[in-house]
Amino acid sequence: YKVKYAPYRNENQSIEGLIIVYQDITQEHNLDKMRKEFVANVSHELKTPITTIKSYTETLMIDDVDEAYKKKFLTVIDEECDRMSRLVSDLLQLSNIDYKKTKWNKEKLYINEIIEDIISKLKIMANEKNISMTFNSDKNYYTYADKDGLIQVFQNIIINSIKYTENNGYVKVNMTKEDPYVVVEIIDNGIGIPKEDIDRVFDRFYRVEKGRSRDLGGTGLGLSIAKEIIEAFDGKIQIESENLTGTIVKIKLPLLEEIIQESDNI
Ligand code: ADP
């Protein structure tokens, strides 16, 4: 609490009492703490690649570096630059969402087609790990959202499922109705998330295993961005998971229309 006080005077200006104001500053304090944590996180995330790049370039500047090593070091430098640029673009996107600068172009969208397109693009990535990918929908569904935003969210979630699933696993996307929503479930039989971490995976920069996520190119911002976007479309996103067994990400979007004909499952 912040306390302010002032004397209370009567009309003859003599002091008759004391006015005390207690101001609850818990919220301000929490915001300030969050801001500090955020800056600390960003600094740390940028410092890691910078340190790596610096040490590799210093080595490269010494003469007599073997050609094979040169190539290896340059590859690392290139990857670290990519990581920084992913981080910066994720941060920019979050700050645009925070300041409501993102202009969503909402329109009627045929979700079946959007998901089918994403899956066929990501099949190449899944094939490299021999992960099977399927899409099942009982009907053709329409929602009202921004197309690029929706593509980004589904892409992010499906890529996570591929990343956090071992070779020979599966990723299934199922779509059905839960009035007034159309529900898309992304199910994998991957490494899962321990119970104690589950509530925090939507937090900015939260990663269950920092090392593993970083090796896989993650920024720890993907799920928090996905949540902001889905909520901007009046939808919901939830995650259920069992450690070492698998994960289900459930995305609910406003149901605009459904067409009761068999969809072309892929
Ligand atoms: P990252 O860039 O690290 O993937 P995200 O915000 O997308 O960040 O996800 C946060 C964390 O949640 C990840 O670091 C990972 O530990 C965990 N996670 C997300 N999706 C899955 C999944 N399908 N299976 C297991 N863990 C997951």
Side-chain angles (χ1 to χ4, degrees), residues 156-157 160-161 163-164 188 191-193 201 206-209 213 217-224 239 241 247 249:
N156 242 320
I157 304 293
N160 269 353
S161 285
K163 274 194 327 195
Y164 299 110
D188 66 59
I191 62 168
I193 301 167
V201 289
Y206 195 80
R207 293 185 281 212
V208 177
E209 276 182 84
S213 154
T219 61
L221 294 172
L223 281 180
S224 53
I239 195 157
S241 185
T247 301
V249 180

Side-chain angles (χ1 to χ4, degrees), residues 171-209:
V171 176
K172 295 177 187 170
V173 182
N174 291 342
M175 187 155 69
T176 186
K177 182 172 87 168
E178 256 179 49
D179 240 350
Y181 295 106
V182 45
V183 183
V184 185
E185 286 186 311
I186 298 98
I187 306 163
D188 66 59
N189 65 341
I191 62 168
I193 301 167
K195 239 191 205 82
E196 62 270 24
D197 294 296
I198 224 151
D199 290 337
R200 300 206 54 198
V201 289
F202 290 108
D203 290 356
R204 294 176 184 188
F205 291 111
Y206 195 80
R207 293 185 281 212
V208 177
E209 276 182 84

Side-chain angles (χ1 to χ4, degrees), residues 2-135:
K2 208 152 113 189
V3 186
K4 281 186 199 161
Y5 51 90
Y8 175 70
R9 296 170 193 271
N10 64 15
E11 53 268 21
N12 305 324
Q13 294 303 308
S14 51
I15 295 174
E16 261 190 8
L18 201 61
I19 303 168
I20 304 176
V21 179
Y22 287 96
Q23 196 187 353
D24 184 352
I25 54 163
T26 321
Q27 212 176 358
E28 265 171 57
H29 181 78
N30 286 346
L31 263 177
D32 194 46
K33 199 171 151 225
M34 265 169 64
R35 216 174 284 133
K36 281 183 182 146
E37 269 172 20
F38 187 74
V39 172
N41 274 326
V42 174
S43 316
H44 178 79
E45 293 297 327
L46 284 171
K47 222 174 154 192
T48 314
I50 290 170
T51 310
T52 314
I53 292 172
K54 178 87 183 148
S55 65
Y56 279 86
T57 44
E58 275 172 1
T59 315
L60 282 169
M61 282 191 293
I62 305 168
D63 301 330
D64 306 333
V65 181
D66 202 78
E67 275 305 313
Y69 278 114
K70 240 185 219 171
K71 189 88 193 256
K72 226 188 237 171
F73 290 180
L74 286 169
T75 310
V76 175
I77 292 171
D78 189 51
E79 283 166 4
E80 293 299 296
C81 286
D82 287 345
R83 175 198 304 288
M84 284 201 284
S85 98
R86 264 198 309 274
L87 183 66
V88 170
S89 60
D90 279 358
L91 286 170
L92 271 176
Q93 193 181 11
L94 271 175
S95 103
N96 280 336
I97 293 174
D98 282 350
Y99 292 105
K100 303 262 182 289
K101 274 199 221 142
T102 310
K103 275 228 155 48
W104 300 116
N105 181 17
K106 292 191 196 174
E107 55 180 330
K108 178 179 165 182
L109 297 176
Y110 176 36
I111 318 186
N112 297 57
E113 187 179 49
I114 290 179
I115 295 180
E116 278 165 17
D117 286 350
I118 294 171
I119 289 188
S120 53
K121 273 193 204 120
L122 294 180
K123 271 205 165 141
I124 303 164
M125 186 182 175
N127 282 343
E128 282 170 12
K129 293 176 78 180
N130 198 29
I131 288 173
S132 70
M133 285 225 279
T134 49
F135 174 49

